[in-house]
Amino acid sequence: MSETPLQFIDLAAQRARLGSAMDEAILAVVHHGGYILGPEVKQLEAELASYCGVSEAISCASGTDALLLPLMAWGVGPGDAVLVPTFTFAATAEVVALLGATPVFVDVDPITFNLDPTGLSGAIDAASKAGLRTVGIIAVDLFGHPAPYAPIEAFATEHGIWVLSDAAQSFGCTLDGRRAGKFGDVTATSFFPAKPLGCYGDGGAIFTNDAELAATMRSLRVHGQGKDKYDNVRIGVNARLDTIQAAVLLQKLSIFDDELVLRQEAADRYASGLGSLVTVPVLANGATSAWAQYTIQVESRDALAASLKAAGVPTNVYYPLPLHQQTAYRGFPRTDDVLPVSEKLSQQVLSLPMHPYLTGKDQNRVVAAVVAHLGS
Ligand SMILES: *Cc1c(COP(=O)(O)O)cnc(C)c1O
């Protein structure tokens, strides 16, 4: 008498809600034929900029490109060190290494999972010891929760370095009234389907108030083009967002604020059902989360995951290895041999189903399955 398994992220429920308006928006692009940098791309960029309260929003082909383009615009390269949290998705550090620069790994906070600012000065020392000049910090808003930007930005100002916010998971979150998009010198986000604001393929966007930097990134996005499209003025990439994806995002943006409310309601229900059994996520003062993931910490993680799976409750482990323990990233500098918080988190984190269309009934099923395994 096994019930249908729950969805980890239910994109079909959202698709049903968007209905024929989505079909029409996609078909409009198919018919007008402006597939590359068409009118929907410009409209989306204007709406995103106004949503975040910044002057410049630059759409691009993925969250990874949204991280890469600002680094290219700043001229990051060999000899440069960029400080990054080790407990994140690989793309955060990958873009640094791809440009020949060196990621330097910093541990994270055990409650928020985000970069621990007390590790930054040790990271500059580790970079210096390796003969590198520290040029910037990439802070990540893991699982949708904003990193502690006030101390990170103060540290960056003191050391004359930039801050890039990796808001791939946190579009829609706020910190002290500032929305993601206004964090650091530049904010990067992803529209991968499973992110809080996702399209129907790959996509991303970059936000800044720096008009000159924005112009450079727009040029880099199209092969480094100058005023004349066949006189390229710098070495760039092809990192444009497809017009069809912009059309999809415009539809999804119209229900996004409501979805954020629904995600918060789901997070509240989990906290009340599970708070006494496992370590549940806690928001920092002044922070709201976009709840890309709802991630608990539990010692017997793998056993709990197996038992939830048997009860039709899907889970995921983000991330089973911190970057400094992954094959491609092991050789890069870090503040200490052991980064204890991240190493422990990678053993204990478990992400539960989380999306705006999770009902109270679905969540009772998740809670009951956790209780059945751990005891009440
Ligand atoms: C998803 C993600 C990215 C990369 O985004 P893509 O759109 O998949 O390229 C970068 N950083 C973090 C933290 C992510 O979660």
Side-chain angles (χ1 to χ4, degrees):
M1 50 143 265
S2 66
E3 293 173 85
T4 329
L6 295 174
Q7 295 285 317
F8 187 71
I9 293 180
D10 193 349
L11 292 173
Q14 186 199 48
R15 164 75 191 106
R17 173 180 177 179
L18 291 163
S20 61
M22 179 63 90
D23 302 359
E24 284 158 24
I26 293 171
L27 268 178
V29 179
V30 173
H31 291 314
H32 74 52
Y35 306 132
I36 301 293
L37 298 182
E40 287 83 355
V41 172
K42 283 181 194 73
Q43 189 189 339
L44 177 71
E45 291 183 343
E47 289 195 19
L48 289 174
S50 107
Y51 186 82
C52 297
V54 294
S55 58
E56 306 281 347
I58 301 147
S59 62
C60 60
S62 69
T64 305
D65 283 339
L67 292 167
L68 183 65
L69 291 168
L71 299 187
M72 290 176 76
W74 280 318
V76 171
D80 293 341
V82 177
L83 317 185
V84 300
T86 185
F87 195 62
T88 179
F89 181 61
T92 311
E94 176 189 42
V95 288
V96 175
L98 201 59
L99 293 173
T102 304
V104 177
F105 294 116
V106 184
D107 210 352
V108 300
D109 178 270
I111 312 284
T112 64
F113 310 108
N114 282 329
L115 195 151
D116 179 353
T118 65
L120 290 172
S121 88
I124 290 197
D125 294 343
S128 305
K129 260 191 224 135
L132 304 164
R133 186 176 64 106
T134 300
V135 295
I137 302 168
I138 305 181
V140 180
D141 304 343
L142 207 70
F143 306 145
H145 185 277
Y149 286 100
I152 291 171
E153 288 164 346
F155 181 91
T157 304
E158 189 191 322
H159 292 270
I161 61 180
W162 46 256
V163 176
L164 172 58
S165 162
D166 180 346
Q169 301 181 8
S170 70
F171 189 75
C173 83
T174 62
L175 182 63
D176 299 322
R178 265 201 286 177
R179 244 188 221 291
K182 278 187 135 173
F183 300 156
D185 298 281
V186 175
T187 299
T189 198
S190 165
F191 301 131
F192 181 80
K195 309 283 171 153
L197 179 64
C199 55
Y200 288 165
D202 279 305
I206 307 161
F207 303 89
T208 185
N209 281 318
D210 183 334
E212 202 178 317
L213 192 71
T216 306
M217 293 191 287
R218 285 182 196 280
S219 159
L220 287 165
R221 177 178 70 171
V222 190
H223 306 289
Q225 79 178 15
K227 286 212 173 68
D228 176 335
K229 146 168 166 185
Y230 291 107
D231 180 20
N232 293 295
V233 296
R234 52 178 66 81
I235 305 298
V237 289
N238 175 358
R240 297 172 296 232
L241 179 73
D242 291 344
T243 308
I244 284 185
Q245 300 302 345
V248 168
L249 287 162
L250 283 166
Q251 294 302 309
K252 292 206 187 189
L253 197 55
S254 71
I255 59 165
F256 184 62
D257 278 337
D258 182 56
E259 291 190 332
L260 287 174
V261 171
L262 294 170
R263 284 178 189 272
Q264 181 60 51
E265 284 172 12
D268 290 341
R269 289 194 298 255
Y270 270 145
S272 67
L274 295 169
S276 59
L277 284 172
V278 297
T279 304
V280 295
V282 178
L283 297 178
N285 276 338
T288 67
S289 177
W291 295 112
Q293 303 296 340
Y294 191 88
T295 303
I296 61 170
Q297 297 177 48
V298 55
E299 265 171 44
S300 56
R301 190 260 317 274
D302 294 343
L304 175 61
S307 141
L308 290 177
K309 187 172 181 215
V313 176
T315 60
N316 275 309
V317 174
Y318 304 116
Y319 297 92
L321 276 181
L323 288 180
H324 72 277
Q325 294 184 320
Q326 294 187 19
T327 309
Y329 295 94
R330 243 173 242 155
F332 293 116
R334 50 199 198 232
T335 52
D336 289 293
D337 284 343
V338 174
L339 299 177
V341 177
S342 299
E343 290 176 26
K344 185 170 166 210
L345 286 174
S346 66
Q347 302 296 312
Q348 301 196 344
V349 287
L350 188 66
S351 299
L352 301 178
M354 173 47 96
H355 57 82
Y357 306 98
L358 200 58
T359 62
K361 189 165 158 268
D362 293 340
Q363 288 186 290
N364 289 340
R365 195 171 148 195
V366 178
V367 171
V370 174
V371 171
H373 181 79
L374 293 178
S376 51

